[in-house]
Amino acid sequence: MASAPLKAQLTDLLNSMFAMDFLDEQFKELQMLEEASGPGFLAEVVTLFCGDAERIISQLSVLLNEPVVDFGKVDANVHQLKGSSSSVGAKRVALVCVKFRNVCQENDKEGCIAALHEIRHEFDELHKKFQTMVQLEQQIQVLDSKQMN
Amino acid sequence: MGSVELDPKPARRRWRLHQSALVVLWVVMSMMIWVGLYWYIRRQSIRNVEEGLVSMCEERARMLQDRFAVSVNHVHALAILVSTFHYQKEPPALDQETFADYTARTAFERPLLNGVAYAQRVVHTQRELFEMQQGWVIRTMKREPSPIQDEYAPVIYSQETVSYIEALDMMSGEEDRENILRARATGKAVLTSPFRLLGSNHLGVVLTFPVYREDLALDVTEEERIEATAGYLGGAFDVESLVENLLSQLAGNPEIIVKVYDVTNASEPLIMYGPDLPDGFPSPSHTSMLDFGDPFRKHNMVCRYSKEPDVPVSATTTASGVFVICMLVGYIVYAAWNRYDNVKEDCRKMEELKKQAEAADVAKSQFLATVSHEIRTPMNGVLGMLDMLLDTKLNSTQQDYAQTAQVCGKTLISLINEVLDRAKIEAGKLELESVPFDLRSTLDEVISLSYSKSREKCIELAVYVSDGVPEVLLGDPGRFRQIITNLVGNSIKFTERGHIFVQVHLADHSNLVVEQRPEPGLNGHNDDSIPTASVSANEDFDTLSGYETADKRNTWENLNKFLSQSSYSTQNGSTHNSNSELVTLVVSVEDTGTGIPLHAQSRVFTPFMQADSSTSRNYGGTGIGLSISKCLVELMGGQIWFVSRPGIGSTFTFTAVFQRCERNGAVEMKKDTLDILPSCFRGFHAILVDERPVRAVVTKYHLQRLGISVETVGNVDLGIAALTSEKGKLLSGTKRRCIFLVETDSCSSKNGSIPFSSLEGSCKGSKLHLPNLFLLATSELEKERFPGFSDYAFIMKPLKASTVAACLQLALGVDSQNANEDGNNTEGPSSLRSLLVGKKILVVDDNKVNLRVAAGTLKKYGVEVQCVESGKDALALLQMPHKFDACFMDVQMPEMDGFEATRQIRLMEKKANEKVKAGEHGTEDEMAGMDWHLPILAMTADVIQATHEECIKCGMDGYVSKPFEEKQLYQAVAKLWASANS
């Protein structure tokens, strides 16, 4: 099995992500779903999530840079991000989102900016790990399919 | 925080600087006031002194003037006398003797004059004649015979005092000559400038009066006057003596120096009178004009003080006083200001501390929130795993264990919420819910929670709810459970042997309990007077486990009373009970533990109080439970009290008021709280062998809840007898299944397992199969005592209906499908799959990630999923006719949210349905005749009541939480299909 070390690496990565609270139960659900609905599902969801989150975060920074901040829009965006991150099981991002919404509801611009930084930080970390994960999965798939052939 | 602390310091320094500047300014100002006041008072006093001087000076001047005028007048009179008697008489009636005599005698009239003399006007032509007449030669002032002059004025008459000037020619003296010329020209008295008088050598002034030969008219010319002049009357004023005389008359003020000047020549005043002292002090001084009746001459008087006037003492004292007052006022203001400053500073500190305290409070809340969240997260994992475990194939016991674990987990989560609520209780902010709930299953949950602990300690834990208590009540089940859990938890903690018995009765028929509520002080003191009938029997009490209890009322006798009363009320009192809306329950939790020490009984309900410090060491806990329970009981409109005897046990009793709720009104009751018991045991008959009536009642209660009729007997032999009689009934045709339940201690009291073999024997004899035999065991250890029995034959305590049901199911092999006739218990992925497989579902969510995950989850159950990302797309796809079986709709979406989309869908459906009714579509539409109603489920992240209501309002059929939770999804979908099918 050429893919075995890669698989071990993947498992390690995922375990560390669980241990560091990057991911929660919901991600396990997704993993189970992948078993059910075939390979690529997880990668697809994760890619979707990353793109989505990236878009929302850049939108948030635009919104917060404006002289008069429209907190309603900010809140809606954060809500979106919270929804998608909890769907993926990105626990830490979701938690920061909750925090963000709290400061946002208080119309606390400083707090919002701080929270945005935090979100960006968390997301960047997660994004890196997700990228590694997706790469590993793809490599495993390639190897597996080769083996099949 | 840092900036807040740093900020006041420079301000404070600035303020200090400011303050010292103010102090200096104030001192300077006070001194200025002091100086100003001093000068003011001094000037005032000087002005007074000056005014005094003026008045004194004026007074002296007037007096001097008056005296002078009097003397002048008298001289005038003398002139007239001379004129009258010397010239108008022929021969003259006046001679030197007469004149001297007269003037001497009238000298008092002229106090200011040294003396008077009369000089006759003698023209040179008449000189010889005159000299002959008089018999002397006219002499000059220097007493020499006069040289030849145009005219002469020799003195012919003189007062004795000035007799030395007789025969002297007055015209020979400079001053006198001038005087004479002026006097005769004006006809008035004239004065000389001051000069040294002859004789006395004093400074003096000579007054000269002209004497005319006849009376002259007023308007005569100067020449005529000169012509008419006969002689001159003169008088010498000795000013020095005059003024001294005057001043002595005025009781002279020695402080005043008076000087009199002749100021006819203004630039060169001639002194007439004045001491030879220096001028005195230049100021203050006053000058008064003097009028001596000679318009040609001008005189004035200058007065001065001899000494500098004293500055009055008051000037210094008053000013100093004011200064002192100013300083005092300044000090007071300063001190007040300082104090104010300090207070303000303190206030600021307080404010800071308050902020800190508030921050700490917030931190506490956050801590609680975080910790509870942190606990909840792993608990969710545990619950999820249990969920998954329950999905696997388990036998009934395993299933029960797993379910128990799950229930415990759920209770733990709610307990965490309760911990959070503790703060609310303390703040008085807690509000009780009012929802329908099943009291019995709530109590079962309590048992589940305390299950493992009681089993560990081999304590018998039992619950009994009397029949009169309505099945469904309106109230707060969570809080009610919290109270009981608390009490039971405490009991378990402090009980090592015996039992814990929870009883619930209606207050109506437990009146005796309420009435007999003991004085707390009596607790433990009635050791001697325990009149229990059973004490004498075999030191065994008629209680659940046979141990003595603190509250003797909870013995079998009393329970029996309740039973009879409750059966009475269920038969007769149902009408009168249901009339009242409120139900008052009496709940008692009885244990046979260590009891509460007497000294601690008074503070049992005080928060964070435990019997003594060793308690928390031995048993743990914070001691807040009872205080929370007390608060909750009071919120429920009840009371809590206890009876406790150290070493014997405690009984806590409380009352609580709930609203009655009809069973059919509880349709919306949450499925979770309404634990539906399997109905497959209905019609079963059980024979219960139990020597303890109290325990038997409890077992009977649980069995009856399963629909099993129970017959209780005291020992195994009687049981067998009952069985045989039952067999007779069975033979008679009723198809009742019979079970035989034996308490482990009740069977061992006889000779081991022999009774059972005899039972077997008696059964073999009959055509019927052996009745199922069950042993009611408190601990696992007891299983070993009965080696002949399989595991299935044991029902482990504590009893609760569902446990009993599970055990019976397992042992009897009753068909579980049969048991779940109403289909409520078939939960799990397989059933979910069966519900969902092949369905076509539209999922609407603007969040792609959510969409993908939802789709993946649903696909797992074999659903054909179609995804769209907005409400509008969904509307487009749902144009009639369509083939979707259901729609999952996200609530929060941009443009068109889930509610609006649903409203539009419902509108479309309504139109379509109307058309169908109108027959427009005809029969070619395959869906014709069917009402369009697409089941729509809302997907929402925060499941709150308001959202739920809104979902229903806009036409949705239900909601599921995001991300999907299997059980909830199942419930929602099942409900959906059920309603759709009906």
Side-chain angles (χ1 to χ4, degrees), chain B residues 362-384:
Chain B
V362 169
K364 186 189 116 189
S365 314
Q366 276 175 347
F367 171 76
L368 274 179
T370 315
V371 164
S372 62
H373 180 264
E374 291 305 316
I375 296 172
R376 254 183 239 160
T377 314
M379 268 319 288
N380 281 334
V382 171
L383 289 179

Side-chain angles (χ1 to χ4, degrees), chain B residues 670-875:
Chain B
K670 277 192 233 158
K671 282 248 167 64
D672 293 353
T673 57
L674 189 60
D675 195 9
I676 286 160
L677 295 169
S679 56
C680 57
F681 301 108
R682 279 181 215 287
F684 276 41
H685 185 72
I687 294 165
L688 176 63
V689 181
D690 195 342
E691 57 186 11
R692 292 186 201 287
V694 178
R695 188 170 54 191
V697 165
V698 174
T699 315
K700 193 174 166 185
Y701 153 73
H702 286 292
L703 289 172
Q704 275 175 343
R705 283 175 68 196
L706 291 169
I708 302 172
S709 58
V710 181
E711 189 178 346
T712 313
V713 290
N715 57 50
V716 179
D717 295 332
L718 285 173
I720 293 170
L723 186 67
T724 350
S725 72
E726 191 68 24
K727 229 179 279 169
K729 280 185 202 162
L730 287 173
L731 284 170
S732 68
T734 42
K735 236 190 143 188
R736 289 218 289 181
R737 289 201 62 175
C738 192
I739 42 179
F740 199 81
L741 293 128
V742 185
E743 283 285 342
T744 47
D745 55 354
S746 296
C747 72
S748 63
S749 68
K750 288 264 169 183
N751 36 1
S753 55
I754 293 164
F756 299 112
S757 51
S758 73
L759 176 70
E760 274 171 48
S762 65
C763 283
K764 268 175 192 160
S766 72
K767 288 169 192 168
L768 287 163
H769 53 78
L770 178 75
N772 294 87
L773 181 67
F774 293 97
L775 290 172
L776 299 170
T778 320
S779 73
E780 297 282 334
L781 296 173
E782 290 186 57
K783 284 185 182 177
E784 288 162 22
R785 286 172 50 206
F786 299 93
F789 292 89
S790 74
D791 270 0
Y792 294 142
F794 289 95
I795 297 177
M796 297 303 292
K797 298 241 182 116
L799 289 184
K800 80 185 163 148
S802 58
T803 321
V804 175
C807 287
L808 292 182
Q809 233 170 49
L810 204 65
L812 301 177
V814 177
D815 190 3
S816 73
Q817 283 314 112
N818 195 10
N820 300 313
E821 281 156 13
D822 39 0
N824 269 322
N825 272 16
T826 52
E827 295 170 11
S830 54
S831 49
L832 192 55
R833 191 181 169 86
S834 68
L835 267 176
L836 290 173
V837 73
K839 303 276 190 201
K840 195 168 175 193
I841 292 179
L842 181 67
V843 182
V844 189
D845 194 330
D846 64 312
N847 191 323
K848 279 182 202 154
V849 183
N850 287 348
L851 199 58
R852 193 68 191 84
V853 172
T857 314
L858 288 173
K859 271 180 189 161
K860 190 174 99 178
Y861 301 116
V863 176
E864 193 184 328
V865 182
Q866 182 148 5
C867 301
V868 289
E869 288 183 25
S870 76
K872 280 187 179 167
D873 294 346
L875 277 182

